[in-house]
Every structure is written in C-alpha cells, then in structure tokens.
Amino acid sequence: MKALWLVSFRPIGKLKSNDFYQSIFVDSIKSIDFDVTFSLTQFNEENVLDFINNKDIKNFYTNISKENLPKDKKYSNKIMLDNALEQYLNDGDFEYLVYSTADIIVPNNLFEILSNLKKENFCALIYPNTHVTKGVVKNNFWPHYGIDLIIFKLSKEKAKRFKEIIKNYNQYDWGINENFYVAASEALKLEKFNLFKYANVIKFDNDFESFKEDRTWQINSWKENQGYFINFLKENNLSKLYAHGSYYYLLYKIFNFKDLNFNLLLSYLIFYPYNLIKKILSILKR
C-alpha cells in the first residue's frame, strides 16, 4: 500500500523556527513504516529543492513561477491539488491521498489506524490539533481553529471524480482549505471519520509576519477565496454554510457520535458556547 502526501514547503533559510518545524514534519513521516511519496508543488520558494534532496524523500517535484499566478499571489492550493490528483491517477498505485500543512508532527500510528477503517473510500481527519505556542504545549482538547491533516482513501473512479469537480475551482494564498476539503468529501459522497480519539496532531504556531502574511493579509485572502469557494458549492449543490458558517458549520458536518471520547466532547462543549458568546460580545461593542 502507498500514500501520496500533498504538501508545500515554505522558504528555507529565512527563519530558523520555520526550518525546524518543517524538518520535524518530514522526519515524523519518514519514521512511519509506510510507503509515502510527497507531491510537492512549489512556487519559487528559496532552497526547498536542496532541503528535500538533503532529506532524501521520495517525491514528485514541480516548481511553478509566481509570474504564472495572478498578480501579487504567492501560491495556490488548487494547483497543488490538481497536480497531486494527476500523480495519484497516473504515476503510482496509491491508496491514500493525504493533505497536510508542513508545520505539524504526524502521529506514528496514522496508517495503522487507517487500515482498521474497512471502507473502500473515505475521508479521515484529526481535530482538534494540540498546539505548541512559543514552545509551550497547550492541552489537547481546546478547540483551536485549523484542521491540518486530512486523508482521503480513494478508488481511481473517486479520484477521477475529484479532479472533475474542481475543474472550475480556484484558490490562492491563505484560507478556506479545510472548509473546501470537507465540502469536497461530501460532494464525493465519502464517509467522514475524526480520528482524534486514536491519535494527536502536534501543531506549531507559525510566525506569519516574518513572511509578510499578517492578519490583514490573511483576512483579505480568505474573503477572496470565499468567493471562489461559494461558486464551487453552487456547482456541486452543497450548502453555502460551508463558506458562511465557517467552523460552526464545519464542526457540525464532521461530528459523529462514534468518533467521540471525553476530550472531543469537551472540545465541542467549549467551542459553541465560548465562540458564540465572544461573537455576541464583539457585536455589542460595535
């Protein structure tokens, strides 16, 4: 069995902590006894090719100049997914397509857990992450925003269908990814599993401002991608709440009683009251 791992790396050599996180990420995957090939689509990020050569990982490497993107755009997760699906269909006998960010530690038992899900096709994920902020590990039940590891088990027919439904979809820079992937799993009619009670994902908080990606940039990027995402939802007869309800709707869509343990139940009990109260208070202060 084989897995194709869809990811893209930040520039190497600009920030020591970022380099460290990405190195740990790769090492956590290399330590797993499973045949993994990386699907790497880069956009002129500095020193990445040297990094992956030094790490000695199996990979499909594609570099796309930023000049081929719309003005002022840095990267595109849609282009990355397109390339990965093409590789999945044509360049290997893959069973899993994995999407993740490059700032996590992947649980060593991931594929062991997946092998116990006796389904031909499915979408699995781990939520919530266990965050590391400034070197401090947070508790593993607080419902942080972000789903940074999503696994699809896809037959060739499902992978072809995946490629078809994203033909008119676009995405650039930051935001919408987990909303999109969960929505896509519904469009593909895949059963969803939250593996949180079996494994934890360690997530390192990034220093976005060092890459000129401050909160204003993130918000503007998210809003632009929201428009592309709404078009995708319309084309596939999916609820617009994926785009407008944000995590309130997203966590509802991945909820399943059989996935619950005490900490995950606690996350849900915290998330909805806590965030709804915060939202109401922020509206009242305007």
Side-chain angles (χ1 to χ4, degrees):
M1 294 190 293
K2 299 166 62 178
L4 184 64
W5 203 292
L6 162 60
V7 72
S8 189
F9 293 112
R10 287 178 175 272
I12 302 295
K14 291 189 70 172
L15 191 66
K16 286 184 178 179
S17 60
N18 175 74
D19 296 351
F20 176 67
Y21 299 155
Q22 295 190 123
S23 181
I24 289 179
F25 163 71
V26 172
D27 291 345
S28 71
I29 297 174
K30 289 181 68 176
S31 70
I32 302 174
D33 184 18
F34 202 84
D35 189 350
V36 174
T37 300
F38 287 82
S39 174
L40 302 173
T41 300
Q42 299 295 147
F43 301 88
N44 288 351
E45 288 84 2
E46 297 173 3
N47 303 316
V48 167
L49 190 55
D50 288 339
F51 171 73
I52 62 175
N53 286 336
N54 290 335
K55 284 294 184 181
D56 191 27
I57 55 177
K58 291 169 60 176
N59 68 90
F60 298 115
Y61 177 85
T62 304
N63 186 71
I64 297 173
S65 173
K66 285 180 171 55
E67 294 176 359
N68 294 327
L69 298 176
K71 185 180 179 182
D72 297 327
K73 299 305 179 189
K74 295 183 175 186
Y75 53 88
S76 167
N77 282 278
K78 158 63 189 320
I79 294 174
M80 292 160 53
L81 176 59
D82 252 335
N83 288 343
L85 285 170
E86 191 71 26
Q87 294 152 4
Y88 190 94
L89 287 166
N90 299 313
D91 294 315
D93 188 21
F94 295 107
E95 184 174 14
Y96 300 109
L97 175 65
V98 184
Y99 156 82
S100 82
T101 58
D103 51 10
I104 63 173
I105 297 178
V106 178
N108 189 262
N109 62 341
L110 176 64
F111 292 104
E112 181 182 345
I113 298 167
L114 295 172
S115 69
N116 291 325
L117 301 177
K118 306 301 182 183
K119 303 286 182 179
E120 182 183 5
N121 299 282
F122 61 75
C123 173
L125 52 86
I126 298 177
Y127 178 87
N129 297 322
T130 299
H131 274 238
V132 177
T133 304
K134 296 180 180 179
V136 178
V137 178
K138 305 297 183 181
N139 58 56
N140 73 339
F141 62 82
W142 191 262
H144 303 279
Y145 288 94
I147 302 174
D148 291 86
L149 178 62
I150 302 175
I151 309 100
F152 293 91
K153 184 180 180 185
L154 298 171
S155 65
K156 294 295 184 183
E157 290 73 23
K158 285 290 186 183
K160 287 176 184 175
R161 179 61 184 151
F162 203 167
K163 197 162 176 58
E164 288 172 3
I165 66 174
I166 66 170
K167 188 178 295 183
N168 298 320
Y169 176 61
N170 283 309
Q171 192 278 348
Y172 299 102
D173 295 343
W174 189 86
I176 292 289
N177 289 322
E178 55 263 59
N179 305 63
F180 162 74
Y181 279 114
V182 174
S185 74
E186 181 177 345
L188 294 169
K189 297 180 171 56
L190 301 178
E191 188 172 354
K192 291 181 281 292
F193 298 91
N194 186 351
L195 309 179
F196 175 77
K197 69 180 178 182
Y198 304 112
N200 290 322
V201 169
I202 307 297
K203 164 76 171 179
F204 297 99
D205 284 349
N206 276 301
D207 182 0
F208 285 102
E209 293 189 6
S210 295
F211 295 92
K212 299 180 181 178
E213 298 176 356
D214 61 15
R215 189 57 183 159
T216 299
W217 178 86
Q218 290 179 338
I219 291 171
N220 291 337
S221 179
W222 202 96
K223 287 180 178 179
E224 180 178 339
N225 286 321
Q226 184 183 42
Y228 299 134
F229 185 39
I230 288 171
N231 289 335
F232 171 82
L233 296 172
K234 287 179 181 177
E235 286 188 4
N236 290 281
N237 297 313
L238 299 172
S239 173
K240 292 182 185 177
L241 287 175
Y242 273 114
H244 294 297
S246 189
Y247 265 69
Y248 300 101
Y249 189 69
L250 195 62
L251 296 191
Y252 160 72
K253 292 300 289 186
I254 66 172
F255 179 83
N256 196 315
F257 281 106
K258 66 186 177 185
D259 294 333
L260 287 177
N261 65 0
F262 177 77
N263 280 356
L264 183 56
L265 176 61
L266 192 57
S267 292
Y268 273 90
L269 292 176
I270 293 171
F271 181 85
Y272 285 97
Y274 176 79
N275 285 290
L276 284 170
I277 290 170
K278 276 183 65 177
K279 195 173 187 67
I280 292 169
L281 290 175
S282 66
I283 292 172
L284 292 175
K285 288 179 181 178
R286 290 175 185 172

